[in-house]
Amino acid sequence: MSDMYNESNGDTHGDGRHGEGADEHERTFAALPPAHGRGFAQSWWGQAWLKALEDTALDLAQLKAGRRLARAGAVGAVSVRPGRITAVVQDPDGTPHRSDVLLQQLSEDEWDRFLGMAVERAGHIAALLDREMPPHLVEDAAAAGVELLPGIGDLEPECDCDAWDHCGHTAALCYQVARLLDQDPFVLFLMRGRAERELLDELQVRSVAPAEAEEEPAQEQEGAQEGVDADEAYAEGAILPPLPDLPPLPSEPGLPPSLDTEAEPAPGLDVAALEFLAAQAAVEARRMLAEALSPGHKQKPVEQELTLDEDAVRLAVVAPVAVAGRLATAAGRGKDGLALAVRAWEFGGPAALAVLEEEWTPEADALARARAALDAAWDDDDRPQLRAARNRWTVVGSDAQLRHGSDGRWWPYRKERGRWTPAGPAAHDPATALAAVTSGE
């Protein structure tokens, strides 16, 4: 049935791309194989879709049924059009059901705001024109009043099983979209009403227009520059020279002054440590300058200042052995404790360091969603048994653990030489994080 569905919608490549001349406002993705024993979505966009879906779900039982169907490979070819996704979903007994899920398209005003936001941020427009979808696009779009991911009530179901609301079939279709976003995040734009080509064409036009608009006044000004009498200029007062252009960003951090002199250093002065701190201050200054000069910087939230302990760990990541020892003593961590903190920092900065050290009790609904996701990730016989203690879930009989961060993400941990040690970056899906730490067992 899935092959016939692909033919009828003009998909000639099997990955959702149409042949030349096909309608770019409809893409069809071939049925995907079962997805047992691993996290359901792998990419940031796939996991973000799952999180939005599960955070806004009203019926966890239907979500669980949908996950099972999707994992079992019961979802046929998926057709994606503006405002609608469609697929045939089979029950465990083989009964097929045509299922549709409707998603509100963005209005013309919302698209205008989104495109304007993207053009203002050089990083976004460069990535989009290269067919990349940066994760920060969601936050920046929301700041412009445009929600890309679905919210409560945004996903409207239609299924021939006659369910009055979401059923297992439409839930399975929603879960399958996460895997489609793994393949191509631009599917989200198509669901919201814009085909990839028309979106990129509009971005290209908008990116060229401001540059041309800036050139014309400059050319006019060059031809109009005439001398002004000094007395007249002084009397006018309002005639002021334009501010100079911002200086270019240095290609590399500046070099601190050399402390290699013939004079002996003062007692207690560690010259190597001082030179290291000066060099790192130059690196950090250049990073901050690059951010300050980036487009849209004034709209971005102010970074939270690091604590002295966090800054010590940040420095220890790149510090030579001798300096790292002093940082360990100053931070009161000891050599092994600092090494553990550095490992956490390398996986996720301050958020990962907080997860290493803090214990807290998550809200009940977040834990319920996590348990449902873990239940659906493995068959009954293979499902690992977890022992929960506040935000730390340990696999019984194993050296694997999950830790829940205050930002809603899950962090994999492994016990090494008797200590729980960070084992990888965070994931929104707890099953993905657990698979990352248990896959080698």
Side-chain angles (χ1 to χ4, degrees):
M1 181 174 293
S2 61
D3 292 340
M4 181 172 64
Y5 204 87
N6 275 338
E7 280 186 11
S8 65
N9 285 281
D11 181 6
T12 60
H13 301 278
D15 63 350
R17 298 187 180 284
H18 292 282
E20 187 175 355
D23 182 7
E24 65 175 4
H25 290 90
E26 180 172 358
R27 294 178 62 183
T28 302
F29 291 79
L32 296 174
H36 291 296
R38 63 181 180 84
F40 197 81
Q42 305 301 309
S43 69
W44 184 93
W45 283 96
Q47 292 179 22
W49 174 273
L50 285 184
K51 186 175 188 302
L53 173 65
E54 292 168 356
D55 285 350
T56 57
L58 300 178
D59 191 334
L60 293 178
Q62 295 295 359
L63 274 185
K64 187 172 182 179
R67 276 195 301 268
R68 290 189 180 279
L69 287 172
R71 284 189 176 280
V75 181
V78 179
S79 174
V80 182
R81 302 183 295 281
R84 181 183 293 268
I85 53 178
T86 305
V88 174
V89 182
Q90 291 187 348
D91 282 332
D93 64 2
T95 304
H97 294 279
R98 154 115 184 198
S99 299
D100 294 76
V101 175
L102 280 61
L103 177 63
Q104 183 69 41
Q105 298 184 54
L106 299 181
S107 66
E108 289 299 325
D109 178 64
E110 287 173 320
W111 277 116
D112 183 67
R113 278 183 275 140
F114 172 80
L115 294 166
M117 176 278 298
V119 170
E120 289 176 0
R121 291 161 173 76
H124 285 343
I125 193 168
L128 288 169
L129 291 175
D130 284 340
R131 293 198 71 260
E132 296 177 1
M133 288 268 283
H136 289 304
L137 200 64
V138 170
E139 297 176 4
D140 291 340
V146 181
E147 297 294 339
L148 294 178
L149 294 169
I152 294 177
D154 283 354
L155 298 173
E156 183 179 342
E158 291 182 359
C159 185
D160 63 12
C161 74
D162 297 329
W164 68 272
D165 197 0
H166 273 290
C167 57
H169 311 113
T170 56
L173 177 54
C174 289
Y175 269 94
Q176 199 75 331
V177 170
R179 298 178 72 185
L180 302 187
L181 291 172
D182 279 352
Q183 296 182 25
D184 187 354
F186 276 78
V187 170
L188 182 60
F189 287 140
L190 180 56
M191 287 189 288
R192 287 297 198 182
R194 281 287 196 277
E196 176 184 325
R197 187 67 266 159
E198 64 178 326
L199 176 69
L200 297 181
D201 287 347
E202 178 66 17
L203 283 172
Q204 185 71 48
V205 170
R206 290 187 179 224
S207 65
V208 172
E212 293 178 345
E214 291 176 2
E215 290 176 1
E216 292 179 2
Q219 293 171 354
E220 293 175 1
Q221 187 176 2
E222 288 177 3
Q225 286 181 351
E226 297 180 1
V228 179
D229 183 80
D231 290 338
E232 180 182 350
Y234 182 80
E236 287 288 338
I239 301 176
L240 297 174
L243 292 174
D245 294 333
L246 292 173
L249 181 69
S251 59
E252 58 186 20
L255 294 176
S258 174
L259 301 181
D260 185 12
T261 64
E262 296 181 357
E264 290 293 323
L269 179 63
D270 188 334
V271 175
L274 188 59
E275 288 179 333
F276 168 75
L277 290 176
Q280 289 305 304
V283 171
E284 185 66 5
R286 183 184 181 280
R287 182 191 69 81
M288 295 174 67
L289 178 60
E291 290 187 358
L293 295 175
S294 63
H297 174 71
K298 63 182 179 181
Q299 282 83 28
K300 297 179 181 178
V302 178
E303 287 185 3
Q304 186 171 353
E305 186 175 352
L306 298 180
T307 65
L308 291 177
D309 182 59
E310 290 172 336
D311 202 42
V313 175
R314 178 187 69 84
L315 291 170
V317 172
V318 294
V321 175
V323 177
R326 295 200 58 170
L327 290 170
T329 302
R333 290 180 177 275
K335 180 180 178 182
D336 292 341
L338 183 63
L340 200 63
V342 165
R343 187 166 178 177
W345 189 276
E346 290 176 327
F347 283 129
L353 186 62
V355 169
L356 172 70
E357 300 174 332
E358 297 175 1
E359 288 191 56
W360 57 286
T361 303
E363 295 181 359
D365 59 342
L367 296 180
R369 287 193 298 272
R371 288 190 181 278
L374 290 168
D375 287 345
W378 283 269
D379 294 333
D380 292 341
D381 295 338
D382 299 330
R383 185 178 303 125
Q385 182 181 355
L386 297 171
R387 182 178 63 251
R390 306 188 75 184
N391 67 320
R392 301 180 179 185
W393 292 11
T394 306
V395 179
V396 177
S398 171
D399 290 335
Q401 185 183 81
L402 289 181
R403 295 191 179 185
H404 194 37
S406 58
D407 60 358
R409 296 184 294 169
W410 292 86
W411 300 78
Y413 270 68
R414 181 182 292 110
K415 183 172 283 189
E416 298 178 0
R417 291 178 295 177
R419 301 187 69 175
W420 287 111
T421 304
H428 287 289
D429 178 18
T432 300
L434 188 56
V437 76
T438 58
S439 58
E441 296 185 356

